Amino acid sequence: MNLKKMKMAYKRYVKNFDDSLNDVRAKYDEAKLEIVSLVESNAVDQDHKLLNRMYKISSYWLEVWKNEVLIKEGVNPMGLKHIQQVTFYQCMCRHIYKDRYPEMKVIDYSFQNSIVSIVHFNLFGWAKEEQIFFDFIVKYLGDNLMEANDWNQHIWFLVELYLQYTNQTIEGTNKYVHLAVKSALTDREQPCGLIPEELGIYREVLEQWNTPDVDEITHLIGRMSEHHSMLASELGKSLEFGNYDYAFYPYEILYLLHVRKKQGLPNPSRFDDFLMNSPEAKMNIQDPEPYPEWDPVLRMIDDFYRKNYPEYIPNHHGVLFE
């Protein structure tokens, strides 16, 4: 691995969020004005705009998170929690339009983001919302609400690890899940050509993730970290970990450490590599993590859908995120 190249990429990663919070806040405020207008006029005929503006809420909290952790080198994951909550509600609101606008594309709405969010729900200990989210993913996997044609190996690693840890299945299995999903989507003539055939280092980790041998898991995590770091070094390119949202946030490794800890398995006491000592890897995540205070714009959107759509999924589950 080219350490110099990786550190240069990291500097660009941090710089990307330096002094940008005010600009994103302005876009958030602009979206808020439009959302308030739609909600106050109860504009049901135009309410798909509420869903299409939700990414601005997520973008704002991404900036808050990066400003706190990367720029100030703090340890508070508040912004990260808000991002995952917005992803949940993007799915819940997208469900409203599954028949009315079946081909509607929503910014930042993807299978990848959904998997990232559900493992964070598990990491945070948000059990009620996690189960609702999991049921949604399984029910709509592959169709217009949850297209699963995803080429990211680490995402399929997270899917399989999550299923094995929680003792659940997708397409009847929790092993080689990417291949089972690919086969099922092929049979249903749904897009699946990008789903990888192999998972590389992640397959090796899946075979040994619950080993009691701390030296063995330390070695595997080291290889995962090197793999992640090499891809993050290509910041800005179309590669795994090449985007500015999570490039140097090793959430797949942190989730592995979490599930091992919950299973009573030993984890390394320290890490020597750059990635695992980055500010985002050092965040203080409690067990369980308290729910964030509601974003007022997101709360407004949730209240609107609860009022106007009896079929809105959160209506069937009472109070959420409190």
Side-chain angles (χ1 to χ4, degrees):
M1 183 175 62
N2 188 328
L3 186 60
K4 181 179 179 181
K5 181 179 181 181
M6 183 189 66
K7 288 187 176 181
M8 288 178 62
Y10 181 75
K11 286 183 179 180
R12 287 190 285 119
Y13 178 66
V14 175
K15 184 176 176 57
N16 182 68
F17 298 100
D18 195 17
D19 296 327
S20 59
L21 183 58
N22 288 337
D23 291 340
V24 175
R25 177 75 201 205
K27 293 178 181 178
Y28 171 92
D29 289 340
E30 179 183 314
K32 180 179 179 179
L33 289 175
E34 185 175 5
I35 289 168
V36 168
S37 176
L38 288 166
V39 169
E40 289 184 346
S41 62
N42 205 40
V44 177
D45 59 326
Q46 301 181 57
D47 58 19
H48 62 282
K49 294 178 181 178
L50 299 176
L51 172 57
N52 283 320
R53 301 299 182 273
M54 285 175 66
Y55 79 94
K56 293 188 178 182
I57 304 173
S58 184
S59 296
Y60 168 68
W61 286 109
L62 176 69
E63 292 286 341
V64 170
W65 174 44
K66 299 298 187 180
N67 188 264
E68 166 65 23
V69 176
L70 286 182
I71 309 303
K72 297 179 180 178
E73 296 191 359
V75 295
N76 189 342
M78 178 184 66
L80 178 64
K81 293 191 289 186
H82 279 286
I83 294 168
Q84 312 315 324
Q85 185 185 22
V86 172
T87 300
F88 174 89
Y89 279 101
Q90 283 180 314
C91 290
M92 299 301 104
C93 295
R94 179 66 184 88
H95 176 259
I96 294 295
Y97 306 103
K98 65 185 178 68
D99 297 320
R100 195 196 315 178
Y101 302 122
E103 303 302 321
M104 182 170 64
K105 300 300 180 183
V106 179
I107 296 176
D108 284 345
Y109 182 89
S110 68
F111 176 74
Q112 178 180 357
N113 284 350
S114 296
I115 297 305
V116 171
S117 290
I118 197 169
V119 299
H120 276 89
F121 280 24
N122 187 263
L123 183 66
F124 297 152
W126 298 350
K128 181 178 180 179
E129 295 79 9
E130 176 191 340
Q131 191 59 54
I132 297 168
F133 206 174
F134 178 75
D135 292 343
F136 180 92
I137 291 171
V138 172
K139 183 173 182 177
Y140 297 107
L141 187 71
D143 71 8
N144 63 326
L145 294 189
M146 190 55 59
E147 293 183 4
N149 192 20
D150 193 287
W151 52 272
N152 291 282
Q153 291 181 332
H154 79 281
I155 291 299
W156 292 106
F157 161 76
L158 286 170
V159 170
E160 190 162 328
L161 179 60
Y162 172 82
L163 292 175
Q164 290 184 18
Y165 171 56
T166 60
N167 196 28
Q168 299 181 101
T169 63
I170 288 178
E171 299 298 342
T173 187
N174 60 14
K175 294 185 178 180
Y176 291 86
V177 178
H178 63 298
L179 297 182
V181 170
K182 190 166 189 170
S183 176
L185 297 187
T186 298
D187 292 343
R188 300 202 294 262
E189 297 184 346
Q190 293 172 323
C192 62
L194 296 179
I195 298 176
E197 295 287 343
E198 305 289 343
L199 299 185
I201 176 58
Y202 298 118
R203 174 52 54 202
E204 296 181 51
V205 178
L206 286 167
E207 297 298 328
Q208 300 293 332
W209 74 265
N210 55 0
T211 176
D213 188 334
V214 70
D215 291 334
E216 183 174 18
I217 201 66
T218 299
H219 173 69
L220 288 170
I221 289 173
R223 291 179 58 199
M224 289 176 71
S225 181
E226 182 173 9
H227 177 72
H228 184 134
S229 299
M230 288 176 64
L231 294 173
S233 297
E234 303 295 337
L235 189 66
K237 297 183 180 179
S238 183
L239 295 169
E240 287 190 69
F241 308 116
N243 67 70
Y244 280 87
D245 290 0
Y246 297 131
F248 286 92
Y249 173 42
Y251 56 90
E252 79 286 12
I253 299 175
L254 297 177
Y255 185 63
L256 171 63
L257 293 171
H258 168 75
V259 299
R260 284 182 56 83
K261 181 180 178 180
K262 298 295 281 187
Q263 295 280 57
L265 296 165
N267 282 324
S269 58
R270 60 187 295 271
F271 297 96
D272 297 323
D273 60 284
F274 180 87
L275 181 68
M276 293 303 293
N277 284 284
S278 66
E280 290 169 330
K282 296 289 190 178
M283 282 186 301
N284 180 25
I285 296 178
Q286 301 178 53
D287 183 16
E289 184 67 36
Y291 294 117
E293 184 176 343
W294 271 81
D295 177 278
V297 182
L298 186 62
R299 171 70 91 179
M300 199 180 308
I301 292 172
D302 180 47
D303 288 344
F304 176 91
Y305 282 104
R306 284 180 181 267
K307 170 186 172 183
N308 288 290
Y309 294 95
E311 70 273 28
Y312 179 54
I313 293 173
N315 273 334
H316 304 293
H317 299 281
V319 175
L320 299 176
F321 294 100
E322 291 184 10

